[in-house]
Amino acid sequence: MQDLAQMRCVPCRGGEPALSDAEIKNLLAQLPGWQVAEVDGIKRIEKTFHFDNFAHALAFTDRVGALAEEQDHHPQLVTEWGQVKVAFWTHAVGGLHQNDFIMAAKTEAAFAQAEGRKPS
């Protein structure tokens, strides 16, 4: 199985089906701590990352934003004192796509290198 963090997001223009529950389960197994949530009938994956202060949380938010720009696949980011909640889903398919899991893995790698991180 290819390491998700080493993969690149592919352009998704719609017309593709969202991932099946079995595909989601398989990919989610590679991302400890990430969970599937459903908002307004659309599945997403999300995780909250913890930091020792706001500055470290904000720096992580900036890093995830830079990764999103590199891959052209953007998350929902909620930055608060000591934590950042990250959520991915693909609007074009109305649910989850492999790109969401690739970006989650890249986010995990960024967290592993982040200053001031706390165990999740």
Side-chain angles (χ1 to χ4, degrees):
M1 185 177 310
Q2 189 172 3
D3 179 13
L4 287 169
Q6 300 305 313
M7 296 174 70
R8 290 198 53 80
C9 291
V10 296
C12 185
R13 303 291 178 228
E16 299 174 45
L19 294 175
S20 69
D21 288 342
E23 292 168 317
I24 291 168
K25 183 179 178 181
N26 181 45
L27 290 167
L28 198 60
Q30 299 176 55
L31 298 168
W34 287 80
Q35 298 179 351
V36 175
E38 194 167 315
V39 177
D40 296 328
I42 298 174
K43 289 182 182 174
R44 61 176 64 189
I45 54 172
E46 60 186 27
K47 183 174 179 178
T48 300
F49 296 88
H50 299 278
F51 297 87
D52 59 7
N53 61 42
F54 184 76
H56 290 142
L58 187 58
F60 177 71
T61 299
D62 287 342
R63 178 65 185 125
V64 174
L67 287 168
E69 282 295 298
E70 288 172 11
Q71 297 292 314
D72 196 25
H73 194 72
H74 303 89
Q76 178 184 61
L77 297 165
V78 178
T79 305
E80 300 179 70
W81 191 97
Q83 67 181 25
V84 179
K85 182 177 179 181
V86 182
F88 288 101
W89 71 99
T90 301
H91 298 274
V93 302
L96 290 168
H97 184 276
Q98 183 174 346
N99 288 345
D100 301 307
F101 293 87
I102 291 169
M103 287 303 301
K106 289 180 182 300
T107 300
E108 282 293 326
F111 181 68
Q113 298 173 350
E115 186 177 352
R117 64 187 163 92
K118 293 184 175 182
S120 293

